[in-house]
Structure formats: structure tokens, C-alpha cells
Amino acid sequence: MGFKASYPKEKGLYGLFNDSFPPIIDGVTLTVENYAYWITQRGGTPCIVTPWNPEEVKTPYHVMRYLSLPIQNRHPYRYGYPKLDPFIWKRLKKTNFKILHSHCPFSSGRLAVYVKKYQKVPLIGTFHSKYKEDLQHSFRLFPFCVPIIMKRILNFFNSCDEVWIPQREVEETVRKYGYKGPLTVVENGNDFASLINGDIRQYKLGAKKRLGFKEKDFNLLFVGQHIWEKGLDIILRTIEELKDIETIKINFIGDGYATNDIIKRVKDKNLEDKVKLNGLITNREKLSDYYAASDLFFFPSMYDNAPLVVREAAAMGTPALLLKGSTASEVIRDLDNGYLVDKNVEEITGMIKQLDKERDKVLQTGIKARNTLVRSWEDVVGEVMDRYEIAIKNCR
């Protein structure tokens, strides 16, 4: 099944641990991929440690996989079971790491803690997600499991030498979970940062033509897992209220357990001419065109910490409409580099109607979003590697 894949023998590897990796595509996966790519570009050798997946994806760097099983209703996500894999422990023992960075506190995080104790190398842990909310959904039939697993998550972060968060507002969530140690803000980057070199307006018009969008339409966009926690009900209720405005359309990109329910609701409400579900788009060039061709990124999620998708939209000159008080909204200045609204469908509907009439202002807001929210992964990983060296010296 692929569990005996060879391990790298070089010394001084950068260990990147995460429970998701291609073919799984999400924000954390993209973060790990870009870390690996830019570490390689800077002369380092990364090694990814992640659960096995039956769909093999070739990479230019080392990937060490371990036993896993599929997660019901969350395809293609998988649970990692390293305790049932006798080979992963031997491979990890024989692999020489200089530093470990776990982007997940679950099975891959536990393996990272094991390597830290065995090899006496520093461990960085990044807090990416609102894990408690994920667990409450996954174990809704067994709620007594949630506090047990949350305790394990806290133990993981307490085992780290450093804990990083992608933006300052995430600290509130971390503290609620009980972590009391120091936190370091290390932002996420953006692989779309350098795509637009000329006039943004012309680039966006070109993207509309490439995708067959009508220039008269005001296009909304949602990119992310199709799970109700991300505010999908708010989006659909808003579109239902905007049903009679012909020019307002929305594209969904992604997949998840709520997809079939969305399809049914769109059909029941006769919204087929306004809503298009595009599935998961893994081609980054095509995805960037959807961001560029859209006028507004609609992301009413209270669930996400520091979503990459908001910055990806900004890189393509598309401002985001977010909920006030959400962690994601921390980086947004209302009516300057984005838009903030209360969790109220009537208010959201009114805002979108107004923005449809002020498209030039929306474009200028998108340009400000690009200027204030976008940072390249090359720049971010340069900072990361400097921090790695300090952690290594401190450990020694």
C-alpha cells in the first residue's frame, strides 16, 4: 500500500508535519507546499510527514506517509493511524532532522513530538484552525470525545518549543483552548502575489473573457470547503433575497459534505441561473482567473482563523465581504480594503445591492486590498527560515 516508501538519508532536514497533503487541497496544505518549495529554493531539504493517500501525487521533495483510513463524509480527508504502522517509527528514527514544524496537532503532530523527544531537535507548532468546532461537528453523536481530544491538542502545543499563529486575532481562540505560553505571529504568504504586473482593470476583464463571464454581471465568489460552518447558509439566503436582480451571480469553488444539500437547495429555489458550483479546482492558474474575474469575494465565515482565500482574492484585485467580529476580518478596514457587515441577511443584501451600483469603488477597494494584504511566499519563508535558525541555536 505504499507504507514502506524510502526515507531521505541526508542530514539536517526540515521536517514539515501535517495531516493533509495533496491530493487534499486546503489552506494548510497550500501553506505546507509553499514552505517545502521555498525551503528547497533556498538550499534546504524539506521532508513532509503526512498520512498515506491512495491517490499518489509526485513531488520534487521527500514525502513520508503512514497508515490512514478515510474520513466518512469528508472525502478525500483521512485519519492517520501511526500507532498501527510499524514502519513509520523506524523511518523517523533513521531520518536526520534539524528542525520540526507541525502544522497540525493530530496524528502528524504526535509524530513530530516523538521525533523531538528522540532526536532532541526543536519543534514549532502552528495553530491554523478552530479545532474545537471541527471536533464538535465530527463527534456530534459522541460529544464526550471532544474534551478528551482537546486535552490532547493542548498537550501537543505545550510540547512545542514555539507556537506560531498566522495573525494576532487568532490568539483569542488559542487562549480559550487553554494554551498559556508565548505566541509568535508569522503570516501566511500568497502564490498569486506576482501574477498581475500591469493594469488590474484590464487583467480582470481578461479573466472574465477567459471564463466566459458577461461584463454586465456582478460576480460573487466563494472558495473553500463546502461545510455549513463556513457561512454557506448565509450565502444561500442572501442569493435567495437577490433572486430578482439578474446581474448578480455567484460561483462556488470547493467540495465538502454540504455540496449535495447546496445543489438541492439551488434547484428547489430555482437559482440555477444565479448559482454555479464548480467543484474543486486544483489548477492554480484557473483558480486565479476565478478570483480575478469576480467582483467581490463573499466569505461570511465565523469559523476560519486566518483564511488564505481572503488574501488570494486580494492578490487578484478582488475585495472580500466578511462578518464583523470574525477572526478573518481582523486584517480588513471597512470600506477601505474590504467590507464588513453584521451577521444579518438583510444588511448583507443591501450592501451587495449598493456595491453592484458602485463597481468602480469596488475595484479601488480591491486595489487597496492587494496593496495591504498580499505578501509573497518567498518573502514569508525567508522570514520563517531565519526564525528556524534562531530556534535551532536556542535548542543547542
Side-chain angles (χ1 to χ4, degrees):
M1 295 180 69
F3 304 134
K4 296 184 179 181
S6 62
Y7 56 84
K9 297 181 182 298
E10 299 95 331
K11 292 185 178 180
L13 299 178
Y14 294 84
L16 301 175
F17 294 69
N18 193 42
D19 276 28
S20 61
F21 199 69
I24 299 166
I25 300 296
D26 58 24
V28 185
T29 300
L30 291 172
T31 298
V32 174
E33 281 192 293
N34 279 284
Y35 269 49
Y37 176 81
W38 287 107
I39 286 173
T40 302
Q41 294 301 303
R42 291 175 64 93
T45 305
C47 176
I48 312 297
V49 181
T50 190
W52 177 80
N53 194 292
E55 183 180 338
E56 184 177 354
V57 176
K58 293 184 179 180
T59 66
Y61 35 78
H62 303 290
V63 179
M64 189 184 301
R65 294 187 181 269
Y66 54 91
L67 180 68
S68 70
L69 293 173
I71 301 176
Q72 187 178 8
N73 298 325
R74 293 296 296 272
H75 176 81
Y77 286 87
R78 301 179 70 87
Y79 282 120
Y81 288 95
K83 286 186 177 181
L84 301 180
D85 185 343
F87 304 105
I88 186 63
W89 309 95
K90 295 178 181 178
R91 295 203 301 272
L92 288 172
K93 281 183 178 181
K94 294 180 181 180
T95 303
N96 296 302
F97 294 99
K98 66 188 299 182
I99 193 166
L100 314 165
H101 190 165
S102 181
H103 295 261
C104 178
F106 299 114
S107 63
S108 59
R110 292 196 295 275
L111 287 173
V113 172
Y114 167 78
V115 177
K116 165 188 163 62
K117 293 178 179 178
Y118 185 83
Q119 297 195 20
K120 309 299 181 186
V121 291
L123 169 60
I124 311 294
T126 294
F127 190 100
H128 282 287
S129 303
K130 292 184 176 178
Y131 303 109
K132 188 173 184 178
E133 287 79 352
D134 288 337
L135 293 170
Q136 287 172 336
H137 171 78
S138 298
F139 292 94
R140 59 189 181 277
L141 298 179
F142 308 97
F144 61 88
C145 293
V146 175
I148 297 172
I149 300 175
M150 286 304 299
K151 184 177 180 180
R152 292 179 181 176
I153 291 175
L154 184 59
N155 288 340
F156 163 76
F157 284 110
N158 283 328
S159 299
C160 295
D161 295 281
E162 295 183 24
V163 175
W164 295 359
I165 53 177
Q167 64 186 45
R168 177 52 58 190
E169 190 69 17
V170 178
E171 179 175 359
E172 181 180 351
T173 302
V174 180
R175 300 306 184 197
K176 284 182 179 178
Y177 288 0
Y179 180 73
K180 298 179 180 179
L183 296 168
T184 301
V185 178
V186 179
E187 294 182 339
N188 289 324
N190 196 313
D191 58 343
F192 297 154
S194 60
L195 287 184
I196 303 178
N197 294 315
D199 182 79
I200 291 182
R201 184 188 298 272
Q202 291 304 314
Y203 190 98
K204 290 175 74 67
L205 286 173
K208 288 178 185 288
K209 290 179 181 178
R210 288 191 290 273
L211 293 177
F213 285 12
K214 295 178 181 178
E215 195 171 333
K216 68 173 184 175
D217 288 342
F218 188 71
N219 295 290
L220 311 180
L221 177 67
F222 172 87
V223 179
Q225 293 183 62
H226 289 10
I227 58 177
W228 294 115
E229 291 88 339
K230 286 182 177 281
L232 299 182
D233 181 64
I234 295 174
I235 295 176
L236 293 173
R237 288 164 56 200
T238 299
I239 297 302
E240 289 165 15
E241 292 296 321
L242 295 168
K243 182 177 180 179
D244 295 332
I245 302 179
E246 181 184 355
T247 56
I248 296 178
K249 316 281 187 182
I250 187 166
N251 279 278
F252 285 84
I253 295 175
D255 59 11
Y257 69 79
T259 300
N260 290 335
D261 290 335
I262 297 172
I263 292 172
K264 183 178 184 303
R265 186 159 163 181
V266 167
K267 184 177 180 180
D268 290 346
K269 298 292 184 178
N270 297 315
L271 298 173
E272 290 95 333
D273 62 332
K274 300 188 72 64
V275 178
K276 184 178 179 182
L277 279 77
N278 299 277
L280 185 65
I281 296 178
T282 58
N283 184 304
R284 298 292 287 169
E285 183 178 351
K286 185 176 182 180
L287 180 60
S288 71
D289 267 353
Y290 271 95
Y291 279 121
S294 301
D295 299 284
L296 188 67
F297 187 68
F298 189 14
F299 200 72
S301 171
M302 297 295 290
Y303 162 86
D304 289 80
N305 270 334
L308 285 176
V309 288
V310 171
R311 296 178 188 267
E312 289 179 347
M316 307 314 295
T318 302
L321 176 63
L322 306 175
L323 296 181
K324 293 177 182 177
S326 64
T327 309
S329 70
E330 179 200 3
V331 297
I332 301 298
R333 299 190 300 269
D334 191 22
L335 304 179
D336 181 56
N337 65 352
Y339 305 97
L340 301 177
V341 291
D342 289 317
K343 191 177 180 180
N344 180 292
V345 172
E346 183 177 351
E347 179 182 342
I348 296 171
T349 301
M351 171 69 80
I352 293 175
K353 286 180 179 179
Q354 185 65 30
L355 296 178
D356 182 22
K357 299 174 183 177
E358 301 176 344
R359 299 191 188 186
D360 283 340
K361 287 185 179 181
V362 173
L363 179 61
Q364 292 305 311
T365 302
I367 292 172
K368 286 187 177 181
R370 176 175 168 78
N371 292 337
T372 57
L373 302 180
V374 180
R375 187 180 177 193
S376 71
W377 275 114
E378 181 179 10
D379 183 36
V380 169
V381 176
E383 175 192 340
V384 164
M385 291 189 73
D386 289 341
R387 292 182 179 276
Y388 282 168
E389 291 305 314
I390 293 172
I392 292 167
K393 290 178 181 178
N394 289 340
C395 185
R396 288 173 182 165

